[in-house]
Each structure stands twice: as C-alpha cells, then as structure tokens.
Amino acid sequence: MTDKKEKINIKAALTLATTALLGCTVSQVQAQEVDEWAFDAALLYYSEVDRVSAAETIFNANKTFANDEVLNLKLTIDTLTGASANGAVAQPSIQTFTRPSGNGQYQTPVGDTPLDDTFKDTRVQFNAQWTQPLAPNYTGSIGAHFSKEFDYLSLGLNGNLAFDFNNKNSTFSLGFSYFQDTLTPKGGIPNPLTSMLIGDSARSGDDDDDDFINIDDGWDDSFALTRLGKDDTKSTADILLGFTQVINRQMIMQFNYSYSVVDGYLNDPFKIVSVVDAGGITQGNIYESRPDTRIKQSAYMQSMYHFDSTILDVSYRYMWDDWNINSHTIDSRFRIPLSEGSYIQPHFRYYQQSAADFYQPFIMDNDMPSEFVSADYRIGEMTALTIGLKYGMLINDGNELSFRLEYYRQTPTDAGFTEPGVLQDVELYPTIDAIIGQVTYSF
Amino acid sequence: MSQKIKLVCTFSMLVSIAGCSSLGVEPWERDLLAKKEMSLSSSPVDSALDDHIYFSKEASSGGKSFGGGGCGCN
Amino acid sequence: MQHSIKKILLLTVLFSLFVSSVSFANTTSVNSQKALEKALEQHQGQVVYLDFWASWCGPCVKSFPWMNAIHKKYEQQGFAVISVNLDANKKLAEKFLVKNPASFAVIYDPKGKIAKHFAIQGMPSSMLIGRDGEIKSRHTGFFTKKIPEYEKEIEKLLSEK
C-alpha cells in the first residue's frame, strides 16, 4: 500500500513542475492500475501554411472505483489564430472586405485567395463521463459536455448502454447524444444572401468612393440592416448503434451505424460567396445561406489485429447526408514495439468527400441563387491525406511520454464549375498544407 | 438506392457474424485483447484531438463509439 | 558426400528436438492437471477455494489481498486457497506475483486445459469445493462488494462435516 501512496505523491510533484502535463489512460481496466487515478496531459500544435494555427491542450483524469465504476474528467483549452478563407474568389486586383464585426476592413493582394484573419479565439471545454456495470453483462454510461468561447456556447449530454453476450465475445451498444449550441458572432448574425457592405465604423467621411459607406453616412445603420439579430441557436441529436465482435485471440472488429439530425442555424456567419460577371470579375459578395436542417448518417467498420508483436488498426467510414455530401474515410495505424516499452506508430489517413448540393465556388451575376449557396471549401469536393508518426517511451517507472508529428494535406477539387474569364487565371481550389505536432505525458 | 443496398449488406454481414458462434475466444484466452494497445479506442486523447481537427476542416464527423473488447473481466 | 551426412545429422538433431519439445509440451499440460489433483488430494476433507486468474485481469489484482486474508483466516478450520494461473506466458504471471504476492498455491495452466475441463465462463472465476470433494458453488468475476457474501458461503461450508 505504501508503494501506491508514493506513486501518487510523485504524480503530484510532477503536476506542479510540469504544469502543462497531466495525463490519463482512459477506459480499459489495467491489471496494474485499479482504484487509482490515471492522468494524461497533451499539448497539440496545428499549423496551416499561411493560414490558421491552433494550439490545444487536454488534461484528462480517469479513475476506476472499487465496483468497476469509471469516472473520466477532461479539460480542453484551445486557441485559434491566423487567417481562414472567407469564401470569396481570388481576383486580378486588390480586394477589400469588411470585418464581420463591422469595425474595420482587410485587404487581399492581387491573385491571392481572400483570407479573413479576424479569428483570434480561446475556447474552454469540460467533459465528464460516468460508466458503471448495471447488471451482469450490462454496462451503462452517461456524460456531460460544456464548451465556451467568445462567440459560442455548447452544452451537451450523452448516454450509452452496452450488452455483452457469447461469453463477452460480442457486444451490442446503443448510444445517444444531444447538444444545444448558441452562436453570438461579433457583428451579429448576417442576413443570408444580402450583400456584404464595404465600410468601416472607424473611418470618417473623406472618401469619394461610391461604394464606400462611412460613419458620416450612417454606416452603423446600414450595417445593422444586413444583420438579422444578435444570436441564434443550433441543436444536434445523434443516435449510434454499435456491434463489437472478437474474431480470435488476435483480432477484434467493430461495426457502427449512426444517425444525426442537426437543426437551427447552420450557416457560417463569417463566410461569403463572390458574385462575378461573365468576365470573372467580382461584382460583390453576398453572405452564404445553408438549409436549417441537416441529416447525416454513417456506417463505420474497424478492425484491430495483433501480430507477433505489432498491432494493425484499420478503419473505414462512409458518411452520407441530405445535403448530398458523401464521404469515405480510411484510417490506419501500425504499432511497432521497440525495446523496453517504447514504440513507433506510423499513421495513414485518406479522406474524400463530394460537394454539397448548394456548394458553388462563385455565383454568376445572371444566375443568382434563390435559396441556398455556400463557397466554403469544407463542404465542397475535396480529398485529404494525413501521414504521421508517433513515438512513445516509458519514463519515471512506467509513465508514458509520446511525440506525434503529422502532415495533413487538404486538396479541394473542381466539382464541375466552368470558370469564366479571369477566374481561369487564379487559383480557385488552393491546397492547404498543415503540420500537426503533439506531446503527451501519461502517468 | 445504392445507399440502401450498402446498409442491407452491412447489416446482413453483422447478422451473419453475430450468428457465427465459432467466432471468439475462451475467457482465459484474452491476454492480447486485454492489452491497452488492443483497445478499439487505444489513444483517446489522440482521437479527441484528431476528431476536433477533422470536424473543423471537413464535412464529416464521428461514427465511432465505445463498448466491447478488452479483457472481458467481470 | 560429407555435406549430405552433415545435412542428415542436422535434420536428425532438429527432428529429435522437435519430438522432445512436443512431448515436453504434452507433459507440461498433463503436469498441470496432475499438479491440481495432487494439491486437491493434500486438502482432502477440507474446504477449498479454487481460483482461476491471469496477469492481465484487472479484478484479479483486487482479489489477491482478499484471498491471502481468507487463506490465513480460515486455515485452522481446514481451508485452503488453490489458484490456477492461465497466462500463456509464464513470465507475465511471475511479474504479477512479484507485485501481488500469493501466500497460497499457484498451479500453472498455460494451455488452459484445466480451465477448459471446468468450463470456465469468465475471468476471474472461482469455485468452492466442500469437504466431500464436490463443487458447491461457482462465481464468475470478482466483486469487492460481494466479499461478505463470499465469506458467508465459505463459513457455511466450513461448518458442515
């Protein structure tokens, strides 16, 4: 018993010394770690070339109690900086855009994809999950989620029931989750399909640019007219059916089906779509408009195979929704143990999606959309590739320190839109390269 | 229509596997399955971080769950 | 000529090694069942708690302190704990025993022959054998909240003649 107490004190000391690192091994009951707190601390850095950068840190604490109940607590903090594509097309001239708040502007150089660098946000998220046996072969779990950033609040609940049979070789699981989100974007909710006014609350009237509205001409009022309100909400309800089967001593497989309904404000309040003429010259930009519901379904299959010492993990997911987006995801990891508890694990992920019905990279001015339109490449046609490597090692009497480095490349592709005029000379589908680096300490 | 066919195929595969009682191991043969590395969610922190990235950058999300596998104890 | 003689010699050596390793394996599994029979014979007329465990089994860690305690507590009344280890790799079992010492007997059954014979349904598993040598109760899993229940069963069997 004294040995265990000493271990906890070492943990406490480490917690103070290395503030960014707490760690925990979740879910599995370990032969050596019963009735103890297990911690994980991870720090991740995500950086796109010339675009968004994000830093995210997770503190996870997990404890198994005397009667096989498990409590998991997780704190996540992330910050986002840098620029994101606003949906407008590149042009052979300098472009000026109004910041989403209405205060200030930004300009895009000739030929560049317009990027809005207004996003500097910090988010805090807290998750709690309680799992316990309900009866022989029945396990239940419930959890709560809370997430807050400057302009977004998300509250969620989840519940899950698992039933084991065939000597626990097979398991059926049924889960549901419900999230209620509130968006309060700076500058308010833009009126979909209305034009983005070029103006600036800070500037006073000495411009003779016809299109420029300044504070003297009632900018604030004009801007307010393009806004619907201060905030809006969105709800997400998910149901998940799972089946796990042990194939043999070395192999296990899982099959899941999920059905998800999202309802409410689904637009991205910061995204616009360019309206161009026959020569491809932008005449103006309008705020995007998406449907207020989305029904997503997915079928997922995963298998894990333990060779003599290496482990292969391969999964495939097919997703389809009522926006007509279909996607395929292949994800695989191969764990290669090295000496004394250390290992390397290469990672490969391939992703492909089709464009949403209402996705258009731009709008022809003689063919304005009546209902829905978005130029957000994230619901356009694209493929993405991730290649990574993780290295883990044991330090300090059985604690794991691991490093993960990945390369993520998103390649938006042309979903069949003829490019008029000057749009043929600019990059409409820029590739986005990102590096992901992560350090995790589990103790 | 092809989506429905895919669903039907998936479910019939599931049913046939569930019916295969020859699949599986004896309770004392779960030494490899009991390893943390053989858990279907073997690095939940990595998965959480990755899911967040891909949810923000792509149109798909989720699909995975927990339950099953492991040492099968208690 | 010499080269082929060397080949034959090598093959003969390899073959005899193979044969002896096969028969060794057979004797090991026969040994595990014999070892259990011997252990049970030694405790004839006593109440025996027969436990099946493995190093990778979480609840087994919780059961060991209790099994050590009851092995000592009821010894005078004619009681013993006998455990059967089901690790495929004996080294892992030995590592477990360093961290969780056992004051009771451990019989190694790496091929699971004893487990199969008793049709073990889960890990860990335990059986109570009465003074008459019959199996009186079986438990699948180990639950700390059921310890009073387990001890009641043992005391009841101890009181029987």
Side-chain angles (χ1 to χ4, degrees):
Chain A
M1 285 307 282
T2 33
D3 282 341
K4 281 186 184 169
K5 276 195 188 145
E6 274 168 35
K7 203 172 176 196
I8 292 168
N9 285 337
I10 293 168
K11 283 183 191 181
L14 277 165
T15 314
L16 289 170
T18 57
T19 45
L21 299 175
L22 277 175
C24 135
T25 38
V26 185
S27 72
Q28 281 307 324
V29 172
Q30 292 259 286
Q32 315 302 325
E33 294 181 35
V34 178
D35 288 354
E36 263 194 18
W37 279 103
F39 302 102
D40 290 295
L43 181 63
L44 175 133
Y45 186 64
Y46 171 88
S47 184
E48 287 169 357
V49 176
D50 294 335
R51 291 201 184 195
V52 161
S53 289
E56 187 161 332
T57 179
I58 292 185
F59 300 70
N60 195 309
N62 181 285
K63 181 166 167 125
T64 307
F65 293 90
N67 295 314
D68 300 329
E69 306 108 323
V70 181
L71 173 67
N72 195 71
L73 300 170
K74 184 168 78 173
L75 175 67
T76 308
I77 302 169
D78 62 60
T79 66
L80 209 77
T81 55
S84 270
N86 63 12
V89 291
Q91 289 281 282
S93 56
I94 297 174
Q95 301 186 73
T96 305
F97 300 96
T98 307
R99 294 201 181 282
S101 61
N103 296 338
Q105 303 175 297
Y106 57 99
Q107 293 196 321
T108 303
V110 170
D112 280 7
T113 306
L115 305 174
D116 184 348
D117 65 354
T118 319
F119 313 99
K120 281 167 184 59
D121 213 353
T122 303
R123 187 181 70 103
V124 178
Q125 175 184 318
F126 185 69
N127 291 76
Q129 193 81 26
W130 176 262
T131 308
Q132 72 167 73
L134 298 174
N137 293 323
Y138 284 91
T139 311
S141 183
I142 51 167
H145 161 106
F146 166 86
S147 166
K148 180 84 185 81
E149 60 200 285
F150 175 71
D151 59 0
Y152 205 97
L153 171 69
S154 175
L155 299 167
L157 287 171
N158 72 68
N160 181 290
L161 184 66
F163 170 60
D164 298 318
F165 56 102
N166 276 346
N167 262 358
K168 295 188 199 278
N169 280 306
S170 313
T171 307
F172 269 127
S173 113
L174 175 66
F176 79 92
S177 70
Y178 182 77
F179 287 85
Q180 181 71 26
D181 302 348
T182 309
L183 293 98
T184 319
K186 203 169 178 203
I189 304 284
N191 196 349
L193 303 180
T194 61
S195 293
M196 171 194 254
L197 299 177
I198 306 305
D200 192 337
S201 303
R203 286 181 49 184
S204 55
D206 53 14
D207 253 33
D208 46 15
D209 181 343
D210 287 338
D211 295 325
F212 188 87
I213 307 167
N214 59 44
I215 196 169
D216 294 343
D217 295 339
W219 163 253
D220 286 342
D221 291 337
S222 308
F223 186 76
L225 284 173
T226 65
R227 307 286 117 171
L228 277 185
K230 234 177 18 95
D231 56 23
D232 212 331
T233 60
K234 162 177 110 175
S235 71
T236 311
D238 273 80
I239 188 166
L240 194 142
L241 289 151
F243 176 68
T244 310
Q245 176 68 44
V246 171
I247 305 296
N248 57 39
R249 181 171 161 255
Q250 295 161 275
M251 182 174 179
I252 185 167
M253 293 187 78
Q254 179 169 83
F255 303 89
N256 296 335
Y257 167 74
S258 83
Y259 185 85
S260 167
V261 180
V262 196
D263 202 310
Y265 185 76
L266 305 185
N267 295 349
D268 187 324
F270 308 117
K271 299 271 188 282
I272 52 181
V273 190
S274 297
V275 179
V276 302
D277 64 11
I281 305 291
T282 301
Q283 304 300 299
N285 295 291
I286 61 172
Y287 294 105
E288 69 162 36
S289 173
R290 306 188 192 194
D292 61 6
T293 61
R294 182 179 180 195
I295 296 174
K296 289 192 291 182
Q297 296 176 70
S298 75
Y300 171 83
M301 181 174 97
Q302 180 183 6
S303 81
M304 297 200 62
Y305 192 87
H306 195 302
F307 294 93
D308 275 345
S309 61
T310 57
I311 298 173
L312 178 64
D313 178 352
V314 185
S315 70
Y316 169 75
R317 175 189 61 188
Y318 178 69
M319 192 282 295
W320 68 102
D321 70 6
D322 65 351
W323 288 1
N324 221 10
I325 302 174
N326 302 319
S327 77
H328 305 271
T329 314
I330 297 171
D331 207 344
S332 71
R333 285 177 176 78
F334 188 58
R335 186 189 168 108
I336 304 163
L338 306 170
S339 61
E340 288 157 14
S342 63
Y343 64 90
I344 57 165
Q345 186 181 72
H347 173 221
F348 170 80
R349 178 183 185 270
Y350 177 76
Y351 176 80
Q352 182 194 76
Q353 74 181 37
S354 65
D357 271 338
F358 53 89
Y359 167 81
Q360 285 179 241
F362 53 83
I363 301 163
M364 299 301 300
D365 61 358
N366 58 0
D367 190 15
M368 295 294 286
S370 53
E371 221 180 1
F372 308 120
V373 68
S374 172
D376 189 343
Y377 80 90
R378 297 172 307 177
I379 55 168
E381 188 182 278
M382 80 157 115
T383 61
L385 188 70
T386 308
I387 294 175
L389 189 67
K390 181 175 179 180
Y391 171 71
M393 58 197 243
L394 293 181
I395 62 169
N396 290 337
D397 187 32
N399 300 327
E400 185 180 296
L401 179 65
S402 67
F403 304 90
R404 193 162 74 111
L405 189 64
E406 310 218 309
Y407 169 63
Y408 175 48
R409 183 183 181 93
Q410 285 183 280
T411 310
T413 49
D414 181 0
F417 296 92
T418 321
E419 294 150 26
V422 298
L423 290 185
Q424 288 168 24
D425 306 323
V426 295
E427 180 56 80
L428 283 182
Y429 308 103
T431 300
I432 299 131
D433 286 320
I435 290 283
I436 300 164
Q438 178 188 338
V439 181
T440 313
Y441 186 55
S442 304
F443 61 103
Chain B
M1 256 325 267
S2 66
Q3 286 168 6
K4 284 190 182 158
I5 292 171
K6 278 173 188 160
L7 253 170
V8 167
C9 282
T10 318
F11 279 121
S12 39
M13 185 167 58
L14 279 177
V15 165
S16 55
I17 285 181
C20 261
S21 54
S22 60
L23 288 177
V25 291
E26 301 287 4
W28 59 90
E29 292 174 333
R30 297 184 75 122
D31 55 332
L32 297 179
L33 297 168
K35 284 186 177 180
K36 182 182 67 172
E37 308 88 87
M38 274 300 278
S39 159
L40 288 159
S41 49
S42 58
S43 311
V45 168
D46 291 3
S47 300
L49 292 166
D50 279 351
D51 284 353
H52 185 212
I53 293 169
Y54 299 125
F55 174 72
S56 309
K57 295 276 133 191
E58 297 166 357
S60 318
S61 65
K64 313 169 197 180
S65 81
F66 62 91
C71 85
C73 300
N74 276 17
Chain C
M1 252 326 252
Q2 280 191 326
H3 189 68
S4 48
I5 289 171
K6 275 187 186 170
K7 247 193 185 173
I8 293 167
L9 271 171
L10 182 62
L11 282 169
T12 320
V13 167
L14 284 172
F15 181 71
S16 44
L17 273 175
F18 173 72
V19 167
S20 58
S21 70
V22 166
S23 40
F24 180 74
N26 282 339
T27 48
T28 312
S29 52
V30 168
N31 275 347
S32 67
Q33 284 173 299
K34 278 227 158 83
L36 179 62
E37 282 169 28
K38 206 170 151 192
L40 288 170
E41 269 170 26
Q42 278 180 341
H43 296 281
Q44 234 174 18
Q46 296 190 336
V47 174
V48 173
Y49 183 94
L50 187 61
D51 183 80
F52 293 82
W53 64 277
S55 66
W56 43 262
C57 157
C60 300
V61 177
K62 284 193 283 195
S63 69
F64 264 54
W66 176 72
M67 290 198 291
N68 281 328
I70 58 166
H71 183 79
K72 192 176 169 191
K73 182 175 172 185
Y74 299 117
E75 200 180 3
Q76 296 294 328
Q77 302 176 50
F79 173 83
V81 173
I82 299 175
S83 76
V84 178
N85 168 263
L86 295 163
D87 272 280
N89 181 351
K90 190 172 170 180
K91 283 209 170 72
L92 295 173
E94 287 167 354
K95 240 174 112 181
F96 180 93
L97 288 169
V98 166
K99 277 196 175 166
N100 307 277
S103 58
F104 44 86
V106 177
I107 293 163
Y108 294 93
D109 183 28
K111 297 238 187 294
K113 299 248 173 179
I114 303 175
K116 186 106 197 191
H117 173 77
F118 285 107
I120 296 303
Q121 295 295 299
M123 289 298 288
S125 268
S126 62
M127 298 189 299
L128 269 175
I129 300 169
R131 295 188 191 277
D132 56 1
E134 306 265 312
I135 299 171
K136 301 294 183 187
S137 84
R138 299 171 70 116
H139 291 288
T140 303
F142 179 79
F143 303 92
T144 44
K145 66 181 180 203
K146 284 192 177 171
I147 283 176
E149 201 186 299
Y150 300 147
E151 290 189 5
K152 249 196 193 150
E153 275 186 338
I154 295 169
E155 285 166 5
K156 182 162 171 276
L157 290 176
L158 285 170
S159 63
E160 285 173 10
K161 287 285 175 245

